[in-house]
Amino acid sequence: DWVIKGGILATLSGVLFPVLAYLWPVMGRGLGSDMQEVATVDEIPVGAGKKVILDGSALLLIRTPQEFKAFSAICTHLGCVVDWDGRKREIVCPCHAGVFDLEGRVVSGPPPRPLPSFPVKVMNGKVFIKL
Ligand code: FES
């Protein structure tokens, strides 16, 4: 009796899982479980940035007219926390005047490496980052 019930349950699971995966937009569009919500789209105007903490890591989230970008907020020189300068459209380090561009590349100052970047996705008005 339990073999028949198990077979029926396995068959139903095989049918229901693909249907639910299709109907559930988050799963269907590939937003993996490793993406974590960090903000809503509305709270970051175009041209603005926001610092967020994710799993103990300080990140800088920047909204450009086209997309959101996420970088480590820890300067690659000596580890100060960087800021977004929306007027100059640069990431600046207040400690030794390090400057990074919108791709995280070093523009000037002593930082030896670019800022690490992280994948960002926007879905249903929410911003997700993958560490
Ligand atoms: Fe950022 Fe030195 S710690 S430039």
PDB file of all heavy atoms in Angstrom, residues 74-82 92-100 108-111, ligand 1:
ATOM      1  N   ILE A  74      34.711  48.959   1.082  1.00  0.00           N
ATOM      2  CA  ILE A  74      35.989  48.988   1.791  1.00  0.00           C
ATOM      3  C   ILE A  74      37.099  49.309   0.796  1.00  0.00           C
ATOM      4  O   ILE A  74      37.353  48.551  -0.154  1.00  0.00           O
ATOM      5  CB  ILE A  74      36.268  47.626   2.474  1.00  0.00           C
ATOM      6  CG1 ILE A  74      35.109  47.264   3.405  1.00  0.00           C
ATOM      7  CG2 ILE A  74      37.578  47.668   3.226  1.00  0.00           C
ATOM      8  CD1 ILE A  74      34.806  48.283   4.488  1.00  0.00           C
ATOM      9  N   CYS A  75      37.752  50.414   1.010  1.00  0.00           N
ATOM     10  CA  CYS A  75      38.820  50.865   0.117  1.00  0.00           C
ATOM     11  C   CYS A  75      39.940  49.828   0.056  1.00  0.00           C
ATOM     12  O   CYS A  75      40.313  49.236   1.076  1.00  0.00           O
ATOM     13  CB  CYS A  75      39.360  52.209   0.614  1.00  0.00           C
ATOM     14  SG  CYS A  75      40.668  52.876  -0.433  1.00  0.00           S
ATOM     15  N   THR A  76      40.465  49.626  -1.142  1.00  0.00           N
ATOM     16  CA  THR A  76      41.513  48.621  -1.326  1.00  0.00           C
ATOM     17  C   THR A  76      42.890  49.131  -0.881  1.00  0.00           C
ATOM     18  O   THR A  76      43.862  48.384  -0.950  1.00  0.00           O
ATOM     19  CB  THR A  76      41.589  48.196  -2.801  1.00  0.00           C
ATOM     20  OG1 THR A  76      41.800  49.358  -3.611  1.00  0.00           O
ATOM     21  CG2 THR A  76      40.315  47.484  -3.227  1.00  0.00           C
ATOM     22  N   HIS A  77      42.974  50.376  -0.420  1.00  0.00           N
ATOM     23  CA  HIS A  77      44.251  50.879   0.086  1.00  0.00           C
ATOM     24  C   HIS A  77      44.443  50.400   1.531  1.00  0.00           C
ATOM     25  O   HIS A  77      45.105  49.404   1.763  1.00  0.00           O
ATOM     26  CB  HIS A  77      44.308  52.416  -0.023  1.00  0.00           C
ATOM     27  CG  HIS A  77      45.596  52.995   0.457  1.00  0.00           C
ATOM     28  ND1 HIS A  77      45.651  54.163   1.183  1.00  0.00           N
ATOM     29  CD2 HIS A  77      46.865  52.574   0.312  1.00  0.00           C
ATOM     30  CE1 HIS A  77      46.914  54.433   1.465  1.00  0.00           C
ATOM     31  NE2 HIS A  77      47.663  53.482   0.940  1.00  0.00           N
ATOM     32  N   LEU A  78      43.810  51.066   2.463  1.00  0.00           N
ATOM     33  CA  LEU A  78      43.981  50.680   3.864  1.00  0.00           C
ATOM     34  C   LEU A  78      42.662  50.388   4.573  1.00  0.00           C
ATOM     35  O   LEU A  78      42.598  50.361   5.796  1.00  0.00           O
ATOM     36  CB  LEU A  78      44.756  51.768   4.616  1.00  0.00           C
ATOM     37  CG  LEU A  78      46.215  51.945   4.169  1.00  0.00           C
ATOM     38  CD1 LEU A  78      46.874  53.091   4.940  1.00  0.00           C
ATOM     39  CD2 LEU A  78      47.015  50.661   4.359  1.00  0.00           C
ATOM     40  N   GLY A  79      41.605  50.198   3.798  1.00  0.00           N
ATOM     41  CA  GLY A  79      40.367  49.692   4.380  1.00  0.00           C
ATOM     42  C   GLY A  79      39.398  50.716   4.921  1.00  0.00           C
ATOM     43  O   GLY A  79      38.477  50.344   5.662  1.00  0.00           O
ATOM     44  N   CYS A  80      39.530  51.973   4.570  1.00  0.00           N
ATOM     45  CA  CYS A  80      38.520  52.950   4.992  1.00  0.00           C
ATOM     46  C   CYS A  80      37.212  52.701   4.224  1.00  0.00           C
ATOM     47  O   CYS A  80      37.215  52.077   3.172  1.00  0.00           O
ATOM     48  CB  CYS A  80      39.004  54.376   4.707  1.00  0.00           C
ATOM     49  SG  CYS A  80      40.360  54.888   5.778  1.00  0.00           S
ATOM     50  N   VAL A  81      36.137  53.221   4.758  1.00  0.00           N
ATOM     51  CA  VAL A  81      34.837  53.088   4.096  1.00  0.00           C
ATOM     52  C   VAL A  81      34.681  54.207   3.075  1.00  0.00           C
ATOM     53  O   VAL A  81      34.817  55.390   3.410  1.00  0.00           O
ATOM     54  CB  VAL A  81      33.692  53.127   5.125  1.00  0.00           C
ATOM     55  CG1 VAL A  81      32.330  53.082   4.428  1.00  0.00           C
ATOM     56  CG2 VAL A  81      33.831  51.970   6.096  1.00  0.00           C
ATOM     57  N   VAL A  82      34.402  53.835   1.838  1.00  0.00           N
ATOM     58  CA  VAL A  82      34.297  54.811   0.748  1.00  0.00           C
ATOM     59  C   VAL A  82      32.891  55.419   0.717  1.00  0.00           C
ATOM     60  O   VAL A  82      31.956  54.886   1.316  1.00  0.00           O
ATOM     61  CB  VAL A  82      34.631  54.172  -0.616  1.00  0.00           C
ATOM     62  CG1 VAL A  82      36.065  53.700  -0.641  1.00  0.00           C
ATOM     63  CG2 VAL A  82      33.665  53.035  -0.933  1.00  0.00           C
ATOM     64  N   VAL A  92      34.588  57.942  -3.656  1.00  0.00           N
ATOM     65  CA  VAL A  92      35.742  58.602  -3.052  1.00  0.00           C
ATOM     66  C   VAL A  92      36.054  57.982  -1.693  1.00  0.00           C
ATOM     67  O   VAL A  92      35.158  57.573  -0.960  1.00  0.00           O
ATOM     68  CB  VAL A  92      35.507  60.119  -2.896  1.00  0.00           C
ATOM     69  CG1 VAL A  92      35.365  60.773  -4.267  1.00  0.00           C
ATOM     70  CG2 VAL A  92      34.279  60.403  -2.058  1.00  0.00           C
ATOM     71  N   CYS A  93      37.332  57.948  -1.394  1.00  0.00           N
ATOM     72  CA  CYS A  93      37.771  57.480  -0.089  1.00  0.00           C
ATOM     73  C   CYS A  93      38.219  58.694   0.715  1.00  0.00           C
ATOM     74  O   CYS A  93      39.095  59.437   0.266  1.00  0.00           O
ATOM     75  CB  CYS A  93      38.916  56.481  -0.230  1.00  0.00           C
ATOM     76  SG  CYS A  93      39.489  55.905   1.391  1.00  0.00           S
ATOM     77  N   PRO A  94      37.644  58.912   1.872  1.00  0.00           N
ATOM     78  CA  PRO A  94      37.961  60.108   2.649  1.00  0.00           C
ATOM     79  C   PRO A  94      39.326  60.044   3.338  1.00  0.00           C
ATOM     80  O   PRO A  94      39.830  61.076   3.773  1.00  0.00           O
ATOM     81  CB  PRO A  94      36.831  60.160   3.696  1.00  0.00           C
ATOM     82  CG  PRO A  94      36.433  58.732   3.877  1.00  0.00           C
ATOM     83  CD  PRO A  94      36.618  58.083   2.524  1.00  0.00           C
ATOM     84  N   CYS A  95      39.935  58.889   3.408  1.00  0.00           N
ATOM     85  CA  CYS A  95      41.181  58.782   4.188  1.00  0.00           C
ATOM     86  C   CYS A  95      42.397  59.352   3.466  1.00  0.00           C
ATOM     87  O   CYS A  95      43.142  60.138   4.041  1.00  0.00           O
ATOM     88  CB  CYS A  95      41.427  57.325   4.563  1.00  0.00           C
ATOM     89  SG  CYS A  95      40.216  56.715   5.752  1.00  0.00           S
ATOM     90  N   HIS A  96      42.613  58.948   2.207  1.00  0.00           N
ATOM     91  CA  HIS A  96      43.807  59.404   1.487  1.00  0.00           C
ATOM     92  C   HIS A  96      43.462  59.853   0.081  1.00  0.00           C
ATOM     93  O   HIS A  96      44.267  59.741  -0.838  1.00  0.00           O
ATOM     94  CB  HIS A  96      44.860  58.291   1.442  1.00  0.00           C
ATOM     95  CG  HIS A  96      45.111  57.662   2.772  1.00  0.00           C
ATOM     96  ND1 HIS A  96      44.625  56.429   3.114  1.00  0.00           N
ATOM     97  CD2 HIS A  96      45.772  58.135   3.862  1.00  0.00           C
ATOM     98  CE1 HIS A  96      44.976  56.142   4.360  1.00  0.00           C
ATOM     99  NE2 HIS A  96      45.671  57.155   4.841  1.00  0.00           N
ATOM    100  N   ALA A  97      42.231  60.307  -0.098  1.00  0.00           N
ATOM    101  CA  ALA A  97      41.775  60.875  -1.370  1.00  0.00           C
ATOM    102  C   ALA A  97      41.818  59.880  -2.534  1.00  0.00           C
ATOM    103  O   ALA A  97      42.027  60.269  -3.676  1.00  0.00           O
ATOM    104  CB  ALA A  97      42.559  62.143  -1.714  1.00  0.00           C
ATOM    105  N   GLY A  98      41.606  58.632  -2.258  1.00  0.00           N
ATOM    106  CA  GLY A  98      41.474  57.660  -3.345  1.00  0.00           C
ATOM    107  C   GLY A  98      40.156  57.897  -4.079  1.00  0.00           C
ATOM    108  O   GLY A  98      39.153  58.240  -3.466  1.00  0.00           O
ATOM    109  N   VAL A  99      40.194  57.727  -5.396  1.00  0.00           N
ATOM    110  CA  VAL A  99      38.996  57.934  -6.210  1.00  0.00           C
ATOM    111  C   VAL A  99      38.815  56.740  -7.145  1.00  0.00           C
ATOM    112  O   VAL A  99      39.778  56.272  -7.779  1.00  0.00           O
ATOM    113  CB  VAL A  99      39.106  59.243  -7.033  1.00  0.00           C
ATOM    114  CG1 VAL A  99      37.862  59.426  -7.908  1.00  0.00           C
ATOM    115  CG2 VAL A  99      39.284  60.441  -6.107  1.00  0.00           C
ATOM    116  N   PHE A 100      37.578  56.256  -7.236  1.00  0.00           N
ATOM    117  CA  PHE A 100      37.215  55.138  -8.118  1.00  0.00           C
ATOM    118  C   PHE A 100      36.113  55.607  -9.052  1.00  0.00           C
ATOM    119  O   PHE A 100      35.282  56.442  -8.672  1.00  0.00           O
ATOM    120  CB  PHE A 100      36.693  53.955  -7.301  1.00  0.00           C
ATOM    121  CG  PHE A 100      37.644  53.457  -6.239  1.00  0.00           C
ATOM    122  CD1 PHE A 100      37.672  54.034  -4.974  1.00  0.00           C
ATOM    123  CD2 PHE A 100      38.509  52.409  -6.504  1.00  0.00           C
ATOM    124  CE1 PHE A 100      38.527  53.568  -3.989  1.00  0.00           C
ATOM    125  CE2 PHE A 100      39.377  51.930  -5.531  1.00  0.00           C
ATOM    126  CZ  PHE A 100      39.391  52.522  -4.270  1.00  0.00           C
ATOM    127  N   SER A 108      42.378  57.782  -9.219  1.00  0.00           N
ATOM    128  CA  SER A 108      43.538  58.485  -8.661  1.00  0.00           C
ATOM    129  C   SER A 108      43.714  58.095  -7.205  1.00  0.00           C
ATOM    130  O   SER A 108      42.827  57.506  -6.596  1.00  0.00           O
ATOM    131  CB  SER A 108      43.353  60.008  -8.801  1.00  0.00           C
ATOM    132  OG  SER A 108      42.249  60.425  -8.031  1.00  0.00           O
ATOM    133  N   GLY A 109      44.876  58.454  -6.682  1.00  0.00           N
ATOM    134  CA  GLY A 109      45.161  58.164  -5.286  1.00  0.00           C
ATOM    135  C   GLY A 109      45.883  56.839  -5.112  1.00  0.00           C
ATOM    136  O   GLY A 109      46.224  56.169  -6.085  1.00  0.00           O
ATOM    137  N   PRO A 110      46.079  56.453  -3.863  1.00  0.00           N
ATOM    138  CA  PRO A 110      46.929  55.287  -3.575  1.00  0.00           C
ATOM    139  C   PRO A 110      46.288  53.906  -3.660  1.00  0.00           C
ATOM    140  O   PRO A 110      47.017  52.919  -3.565  1.00  0.00           O
ATOM    141  CB  PRO A 110      47.376  55.566  -2.131  1.00  0.00           C
ATOM    142  CG  PRO A 110      46.270  56.370  -1.532  1.00  0.00           C
ATOM    143  CD  PRO A 110      45.706  57.196  -2.657  1.00  0.00           C
ATOM    144  N   PRO A 111      44.971  53.754  -3.828  1.00  0.00           N
ATOM    145  CA  PRO A 111      44.428  52.380  -3.854  1.00  0.00           C
ATOM    146  C   PRO A 111      45.113  51.529  -4.934  1.00  0.00           C
ATOM    147  O   PRO A 111      45.194  51.937  -6.099  1.00  0.00           O
ATOM    148  CB  PRO A 111      42.945  52.570  -4.163  1.00  0.00           C
ATOM    149  CG  PRO A 111      42.631  53.928  -3.635  1.00  0.00           C
ATOM    150  CD  PRO A 111      43.873  54.736  -3.923  1.00  0.00           C
TER     151      PRO A 111
HETATM  152 FE1  FES B   1      41.318  54.664   0.891  1.00  0.00          FE
HETATM  153 FE2  FES B   1      43.801  55.129   1.683  1.00  0.00          FE
HETATM  154  S1  FES B   1      42.286  53.961   2.686  1.00  0.00           S
HETATM  155  S2  FES B   1      42.829  55.854  -0.092  1.00  0.00           S
END
